[in-house]
Amino acid sequence: MNRAPLLKDTDFRQRAPELGLKDNETETILEIQGRLPTECELGIFSAIWSEHCSYKSSRAWLSTLHTSGDVVIHGPGENAGVIDIGDNQAIAFKMESHNHPSFIEPYQGAATGVGGVLRDIFTMGARPIATLNALRFGDPEHPKTRHLLRGVVAGISGYGNSFGVPTVGGEVNFDPSYNGNILVNTMAVGLLDQDKIFLSAAAGVGNPLLYVGAATGKDGIHGASMASASFADDAEVKRPTVQVGDPFMGKVLCDASLALMRSGLVVAVQDMGAAGLTSSSVEMASKGRVGVKLNLDHVPQRASDMSAFEIMLSESQERMLVVLKAGTEEAALKVHADYALSTTVIREITDTNRLEVVQHGACYADIPVDALVNNAPLYHRPYTLKEPEAPFLCQALSAPQPPPLETLKALFGNLNLASKRWVFEQYDCLIRSQTLITPGGGDAAVVRIPEHNKAIALTSDCMPAYVFRDPEMGGMQAVVESWRNLIASGAKPLALTNNLNFANPEDPRIMGQIVGAIKGISQACTALNYPVVSGNVSLYNSTGDDPILPTPVIGGVGLIEDQSFVRGSALSEGQHLVLLGTTEGHLSGSRYLEQLGIKETAAPPPINLEAEQRNGYKVIELIRENHIQACHDVADGGVLLAIAEMCLGKGVGITLYPSFTGAEWFAEDQARYLLATNDLEGLTTALRSYDWQLLGRAEGDSLVLSEGDSVTINTLQEIFEHALPNYLR
Amino acid sequence: MQAAILSFPGSNREQDAEYALAHVGFSCQIVPSHSAADFSGVDVIVLPGGFSYGDYLRSGAIAAKLPIMHDVRRAAKAGRYVLGICNGFQILTESRLLPGALRMNTGQLFVCRSVKLNVARNDSAFSHLYQPNANLDIPVAHHNGNYFADPDTLEQLEAEERVIFRYGDNPNGSMHDIAGIRNSADNVLGMMPHPENAALAHHQSQDGLKLFASLAARIGS
Amino acid sequence: MTEYRIAVQVSLRPDILDPAGRAAEKSLQSMGFAARDARIGKTITLTLDAADAAEAEAKAEQMADQLLANPVMENCSITVTPRM
């Protein structure tokens, strides 16, 4: 067979850096190939070795994470992590970022982000049952923020609603550090049987390789490299590479794929995500220790003049690769025909362990798969850890403290803490008819498992302001925050996925943030036996020289063994409210200081993992013994804000007993829960030997402080609900 | 009692409908839309929610042109019950089984929330178990739920008492607060809200259950 | 047979409120353009084989009538050009 022309040495030296390859990486390509590569081969190397696909800056550290445990069926390395929820059932879940594409084209960027992570789930054989989104935008007053917020939310809504998966929760936050680089992280969750899990390792020499789904176009070519580069000021010029999502095709692809998997014809499945056909075929071959031969003439194409390079690197959406059992092509095509889905055989599995790409009768790429994968660069990048500073406690606050209720009102008007109703009402949270706790109803979203009495709880969490101040403590905090949110909703936390969003790892200070955060996550996961089963790393999130706040988002999954354990956060008339946990008055990184305009970089609230375990396990027990009827973790904004949030649920007031100072009401000490009970005596008896404090009793229509100041719940509700709609008006 | 739930490519609330129908005693069969269907043994045909054909062109427009819709029309003529929910309602208007059209919400955003729904007529096969003028909590989840019809059609709908459900807090700009209408023979109902998502014990409201129970009672009697 | 390019321009009937058009208009005005009467529609373009322009136009009208536009709320206009 003829070989496509090799690049000239000068062209090679010029193209390689354009595709994001470093000098040492360029030399390795020459060594592996023993010659100059073709253009297509160069494209394949650059994609597989991109930060996005190879995790070359973070891999060494990711391997230190706690990834095992009784519930783990598949940890990191597959399309999604899989955990045991009993009854031969399992949950597959994963979080993925689509940060750069969403900044360039918010609607399509966010939509294709949702589509991509949903494919990760159903390629495992799981039926998607929920998604969540962790979104971070720039300063609300930045000229682009409104446009980006509207576009991203519409894109998520447009894809998820049409696909037919409930969007049940997430976060929306604002900070100027994201002005030129928003974060769009989507977590998808699927349900499957433990004996029907599909993996991506190809097997069976001679087995046909099937291309399923949408045709390949020129969209998104080299998105993986784009995701691995910083934004220059010309970010908008990069628009042509953005992919377009087709939720209709996505849903058909999901239904048809699950049907094909049920049919017993499938050996392995892989979604075509970042770096499209390249990464999917390389991954299948590498995991199965086989070779793959692709005939690009059989790949459905949307444009007539596509080069091998373009076809291999296109990130057109809604496509999958499937390895079939030999001789089952006809049967498989028939299954797909029922769904009016286009399917083509694009060749086969070989025993050569090589990736061979053929187009128009010529060989465009011939690369040894093991060498390609095993030689993927691995960097131990230099890092400097931030020296921890001293804490900032209430007593140290010299600035005048406004009356607490004034601060409370101001915080409810802050877009970071105000109601996100404008966002979540655009998401169909009810489809599938199993949603028990909808957005705003509790600390975690809760989705029922049909035909069982159990449910799962889902949450996403991160406090970048803490991570910035102390990456290790902040990484720990994200984990314990998600752990607490699951517990407060009635669940036993099982496992987590993460999306580690950082700036340029080549800057030792940023690398220090990455290392610190991973250390913190690892410590918390180990202590809480709350393993990491999947994840994603997104680096180079900055605009020019301004890095984003380090944002390691944690997506947690917990199991509620019995629906009667589900707890919302709404307080009911007559209930007593108890604070479990210790308040020392930590203010650094708090919403309170932000509101007062006080700039500081002191140590964030410390995490005491023993206290977290002690209080967390106690709350799990209290819920199962029905000592508490509603529960809410104390997060950013502190105790008073958390109390007010509980009041808003059913519009009930509360009379508070403690005589906290202004700042104490808003301190952000960790390991604290608000417990609402109908039976105060029972609860306090159960809490003997715990640090707790009676806060008040739910009654009337106002929140009343012990010194007599009060505000009506109606007033708070209006501020809380109107802030975001008014901002977007 | 037999219910046939049509599944168009892009339909996504087939199972939600099935849970609610099964709860009041229907045996349900999900019928793919790609081939002709025999509805002779079927008591009610349900066109479920979703985004048939991606809602491309107009919501429900492409599904309405499928051959299976001829079978639905024939079955409706023969007196079988037809219930179109959300995208199903859009398909019923696009196929002219019900008058009017569903436009984009005036707020231009998808809206998913519980709305106040008033039972404007409780003399329908679909609503006879509700108290007259009952107020229900039932969720909506749509982008194109804004009911539109020309003045003559609206007048006729009102004169013939064919508006069965009206919004108490109109979420989409629908004319006359219309949330659900029937045909003059009272065997075809289209509505935007999702009674199937407010029907089961674990739902936040069970106010939609009586719609399915009304049908079951009428068919069973 | 000749190849014809068909463009079906679908717009909301003029008596029907177009909130999206109004939003675009308001935005244009706030940007300083003296824009008015903004309406948002859509164009469907396709290729069709027909004996002559009249047949192409007749077929295009049927397509518009039966699928591409909903006469309850939409108008449409059709342009037919032979493909060079």
Side-chain angles (χ1 to χ4, degrees):
Chain A
M1 189 181 293
N2 292 334
R3 181 168 21 228
L6 304 182
L7 287 169
K8 291 198 183 74
D9 191 63
T10 46
D11 292 343
F12 173 59
R13 305 272 165 205
Q14 192 197 331
R15 291 291 302 279
E18 285 170 13
L19 293 169
L21 290 161
K22 307 284 183 215
D23 286 349
N24 56 324
E25 297 167 2
T26 309
E27 292 310 317
T28 314
I29 294 175
L30 293 177
E31 279 167 36
I32 291 174
Q33 293 301 83
R35 56 170 166 76
L36 284 158
T38 66
E39 185 200 35
C40 180
E41 287 169 345
L42 177 61
I44 292 170
F45 276 102
S46 73
I48 295 295
W49 290 358
S50 69
E51 189 68 59
H52 193 81
C53 291
S54 73
Y55 298 100
K56 56 191 169 191
S57 299
S58 57
R59 212 160 75 228
W61 289 99
L62 293 176
S63 64
T64 66
L65 286 169
H66 173 64
T67 57
S68 59
D70 291 347
V71 300
V72 180
I73 298 174
H74 288 289
E78 282 299 332
N79 280 308
V82 183
I83 57 169
D84 185 349
I85 57 160
D87 308 307
N88 188 39
Q89 291 179 305
I91 292 292
F93 68 107
K94 164 143 196 218
M95 197 181 279
E96 268 279 5
S97 63
H98 230 203
N99 303 335
H100 296 113
S102 301
F103 182 74
I104 294 172
E105 211 308 294
Y107 184 98
Q108 293 299 345
T112 52
V114 175
V117 71
L118 284 170
R119 278 196 304 282
D120 283 331
I121 298 304
F122 69 73
T123 45
M124 306 281 309
R127 165 68 63 185
I129 59 169
T131 61
L132 295 87
N133 297 284
L135 310 179
R136 286 181 168 78
F137 298 95
D139 183 341
E141 292 317 320
H142 186 274
K144 280 211 176 108
T145 300
R146 284 179 178 82
H147 162 72
L148 291 168
L149 172 64
R150 284 196 180 100
V152 165
V153 172
I156 292 168
S157 158
Y159 200 101
N161 298 350
S162 177
F163 184 92
V165 62
T167 302
V168 294
E171 313 164 78
V172 182
N173 285 292
F174 301 85
D175 184 274
S177 79
Y178 308 110
N179 276 352
N181 194 130
I182 59 174
L183 302 183
V184 176
N185 297 175
T186 298
M187 170 171 162
V189 182
L191 176 67
L192 71 169
D193 288 338
Q194 290 178 21
D195 52 3
K196 293 184 188 108
I197 299 171
F198 283 83
L199 304 178
S200 56
V205 171
N207 278 353
L209 188 62
L210 219 60
Y211 172 109
V212 187
T216 298
K218 293 190 180 182
D219 42 350
I221 289 173
H222 245 291
S225 322
M226 179 171 100
S228 310
S230 277
F231 271 173
D233 290 335
D234 64 348
E236 272 123 292
V237 183
K238 293 189 179 176
R239 202 183 289 269
T241 57
V242 166
Q243 325 81 304
V244 173
D246 180 353
F248 170 59
M249 174 69 96
K251 180 185 190 304
V252 171
L253 189 61
C254 173
D255 291 346
S257 300
L258 293 176
L260 190 64
M261 291 185 221
R262 279 194 303 271
S263 73
L265 308 176
V266 173
V267 175
V269 199
Q270 178 72 33
D271 138 63
M272 281 189 239
L277 200 45
T278 293
S279 67
S280 53
S281 53
V282 167
E283 203 154 312
M284 289 185 105
S286 164
K287 286 195 179 134
R289 308 203 58 86
V290 293
V292 166
K293 194 168 193 172
L294 304 175
N295 186 339
L296 299 188
D297 299 340
H298 298 159
V299 171
Q301 293 159 46
R302 280 211 317 272
S304 55
D305 57 343
M306 291 190 70
S307 69
F309 175 91
E310 289 171 326
I311 295 171
M312 287 305 288
L313 295 177
S314 162
E315 291 191 0
S316 289
Q317 297 291 297
E318 336 299 350
R319 305 178 301 159
M320 287 168 68
L321 271 189
V322 176
V323 180
L324 288 178
K325 291 179 181 162
T328 64
E329 295 95 319
E330 293 276 308
L333 296 185
K334 199 167 166 299
V335 171
H336 281 162
D338 283 347
Y339 292 86
L341 191 66
S342 121
T343 305
T344 358
V345 177
I346 58 168
R347 276 311 258 292
E348 60 191 5
I349 304 305
T350 66
D351 61 0
T352 59
N353 191 240
R354 299 183 81 82
L355 172 65
E356 296 168 83
V357 176
V358 176
Q359 188 188 30
H360 310 318
C363 176
Y364 274 78
D366 183 2
I367 303 174
V369 172
D370 278 353
L372 170 63
V373 173
N374 299 339
N375 285 296
L378 173 62
Y379 294 126
H380 296 274
R381 297 202 187 276
Y383 61 90
T384 45
L385 292 175
K386 187 174 182 286
E387 286 296 321
E389 298 189 23
F392 189 138
L393 290 156
C394 289
Q395 304 87 286
L397 185 64
S398 51
Q401 298 176 19
L405 295 182
E406 290 311 307
T407 307
L408 177 63
K409 285 190 256 182
L411 289 178
F412 266 152
N414 175 328
L415 292 187
N416 280 307
L417 298 169
S419 169
K420 302 303 186 304
R421 183 177 302 279
W422 181 90
V423 174
F424 66 70
E425 283 194 347
Q426 293 185 56
Y427 303 151
D428 189 342
C429 63
L430 298 174
I431 182 156
R432 299 194 63 73
S433 239
Q434 306 298 334
T435 312
L436 299 181
I437 293 193
T438 52
D443 282 18
V446 177
V447 176
R448 189 173 166 267
I449 303 299
E451 285 139 46
H452 289 269
N453 196 30
K454 62 189 178 188
I456 54 165
L458 308 165
T459 176
S460 85
D461 300 280
C462 182
M463 276 296 290
Y466 298 166
V467 190
F468 176 74
R469 285 166 175 76
D470 182 343
E472 190 167 333
M473 213 48 99
M476 248 192 262
Q477 196 276 343
V479 174
V480 298
E481 173 81 48
S482 96
W483 198 70
R484 285 198 300 262
N485 281 331
L486 296 175
I487 288 175
S489 69
K492 290 179 176 169
L494 294 182
L496 62 88
T497 180
N498 57 30
N499 204 131
L500 308 177
N501 307 277
F502 292 91
N504 183 349
E506 294 161 49
D507 175 341
R509 287 165 305 173
I510 302 296
M511 196 60 214
Q513 292 178 343
I514 299 172
V515 171
I518 290 178
K519 281 185 174 173
I521 290 170
S522 191
Q523 281 173 56
C525 290
T526 308
L528 303 175
N529 190 21
Y530 185 34
V532 180
V533 297
S534 59
N536 175 245
V537 181
S538 172
L539 302 179
Y540 299 95
N541 289 291
S542 41
T543 306
D545 295 333
D546 297 332
I548 61 158
L549 287 179
T551 315
V553 179
I554 300 295
V557 177
L559 178 67
I560 304 174
E561 323 86 270
D562 186 304
Q563 275 176 64
S564 65
F565 303 152
V566 175
R567 291 292 180 277
S569 57
L571 199 55
S572 299
E573 179 88 33
Q575 286 177 341
H576 301 273
L577 193 64
V578 165
L579 171 67
L580 171 63
T582 310
T583 305
E584 289 175 347
H586 282 275
L587 289 179
S588 176
S590 68
R591 297 293 179 196
Y592 185 71
L593 292 190
E594 182 189 59
Q595 185 62 39
L596 295 185
I598 296 172
K599 303 252 187 273
E600 45 73 38
T601 55
I607 303 296
N608 177 337
L609 289 170
E610 276 167 33
E612 293 288 352
Q613 289 178 73
R614 189 171 144 80
N615 293 351
Y617 292 131
K618 189 67 192 178
V619 173
I620 290 176
E621 182 189 311
L622 291 171
I623 288 174
R624 275 144 190 81
E625 290 169 0
N626 200 22
H627 282 303
I628 50 182
Q629 283 70 48
C631 188
H632 190 23
D633 131 82
V634 180
D636 54 330
V639 172
L640 191 60
L641 187 100
I643 295 170
E645 285 170 342
M646 292 185 82
C647 291
L648 293 183
K650 292 181 181 164
V652 63
I654 189 166
T655 307
L656 295 169
Y657 311 137
S659 50
F660 284 152
T661 68
E664 278 164 353
W665 276 122
F666 302 100
E668 298 185 3
D669 300 75
Q670 301 292 302
R672 295 186 299 170
Y673 297 81
L674 294 178
L675 314 175
T677 182
N678 297 326
D679 170 17
L680 185 59
E681 209 187 314
L683 176 62
T684 54
T685 309
L687 282 178
R688 218 173 355 208
S689 83
Y690 281 80
D691 188 359
W692 62 271
Q693 182 175 8
L694 182 60
L695 290 177
R697 187 160 189 270
E699 59 192 8
D701 59 4
S702 296
L703 188 152
V704 186
L705 296 183
S706 62
E707 54 269 35
D709 279 4
S710 74
V711 59
T712 67
I713 300 303
N714 241 343
T715 306
L716 293 176
Q717 190 99 44
E718 267 176 31
I719 299 169
F720 182 67
E721 290 296 347
H722 290 167
L724 191 53
N726 283 344
Y727 164 69
L728 287 163
R729 182 156 295 152
Chain B
M1 292 184 298
Q2 297 290 325
I5 302 166
L6 298 197
S7 176
F8 300 93
S11 294
N12 59 23
R13 266 186 162 87
E14 301 96 319
Q15 214 176 15
D16 300 32
E18 185 178 353
Y19 290 134
L21 287 159
H23 192 71
V24 297
F26 281 96
S27 30
C28 300
Q29 164 197 11
I30 293 182
V31 179
S33 65
H34 54 68
S35 48
D38 175 12
F39 293 124
S40 53
V42 168
D43 300 297
V44 54
I45 301 168
V46 177
L47 283 69
F51 289 71
S52 56
Y53 292 93
D55 266 8
Y56 298 144
L57 192 62
R58 290 181 311 279
S59 304
I62 297 176
K65 306 300 171 192
L66 290 182
I68 199 171
M69 287 308 295
H70 296 303
D71 303 319
V72 173
R73 193 171 289 111
R74 259 195 299 277
K77 260 202 186 116
R80 298 197 195 290
Y81 291 105
V82 177
L83 170 62
I85 302 171
C86 199
N87 191 231
F89 186 18
Q90 294 160 342
I91 296 171
L92 290 177
T93 58
E94 280 286 347
S95 56
R96 307 279 180 269
L97 274 156
L98 289 172
L102 291 143
R103 305 179 50 205
M104 189 185 286
N105 301 345
T106 40
Q108 294 176 66
L109 301 176
F110 187 98
V111 56
C112 175
R113 66 162 172 257
S114 185
V115 297
K116 300 285 170 209
L117 206 60
N118 179 262
V119 181
R121 304 291 315 173
N122 77 332
D123 59 356
S124 161
F126 299 89
S127 68
H128 63 91
L129 292 181
Y130 288 110
Q131 295 297 311
N133 263 312
N135 286 310
L136 317 177
D137 284 319
I138 296 198
V140 293
H142 60 243
H143 205 169
N144 296 289
N146 175 359
Y147 186 78
F148 169 86
D150 60 56
D152 293 347
T153 307
L154 283 172
E155 199 177 313
Q156 190 187 357
L157 282 173
E158 296 292 1
E160 295 176 1
E161 297 173 331
R162 286 167 56 189
V163 178
I164 305 296
F165 297 110
R166 271 187 232 274
Y167 299 112
D169 47 357
N170 193 336
N172 53 31
S174 288
M175 289 178 151
H176 291 210
D177 296 323
I178 287 174
I181 55 170
R182 60 177 162 184
N183 66 347
S184 32
D186 191 39
N187 69 325
V188 178
L189 176 84
M191 64 190 297
M192 286 313 295
H194 287 285
E196 76 278 30
N197 291 138
L200 307 179
H202 67 264
H203 291 157
Q204 286 174 3
S205 154
Q206 287 73 38
D207 290 352
L209 187 62
K210 279 187 182 161
L211 184 146
F212 301 100
S214 292
L215 257 181
R218 190 53 62 89
I219 290 163
S221 66
Chain C
M1 293 296 244
T2 315
E3 262 192 358
Y4 289 92
R5 279 300 284 168
I6 311 281
V8 181
Q9 177 80 39
V10 180
S11 53
L12 276 176
R13 280 178 10 204
D15 53 321
I16 292 180
L17 177 72
D18 177 7
R22 201 153 72 171
E25 181 179 301
K26 262 175 61 185
S27 177
L28 287 169
Q29 287 165 352
S30 74
M31 291 162 73
F33 294 103
R36 56 180 186 278
D37 303 335
R39 307 284 288 174
I40 293 179
K42 59 190 160 207
T43 307
I44 299 112
T45 58
L46 52 95
T47 306
L48 187 69
D49 291 333
D52 52 34
E55 188 195 325
E57 184 153 355
K59 277 190 183 163
E61 267 171 25
Q62 285 171 19
M63 288 188 238
D65 198 40
Q66 289 173 29
L67 179 70
L68 300 178
N70 181 348
V72 173
M73 53 183 180
E74 291 168 338
N75 283 336
C76 67
S77 66
I78 294 167
T79 5
V80 174
T81 33
R83 191 156 189 172
M84 293 304 153

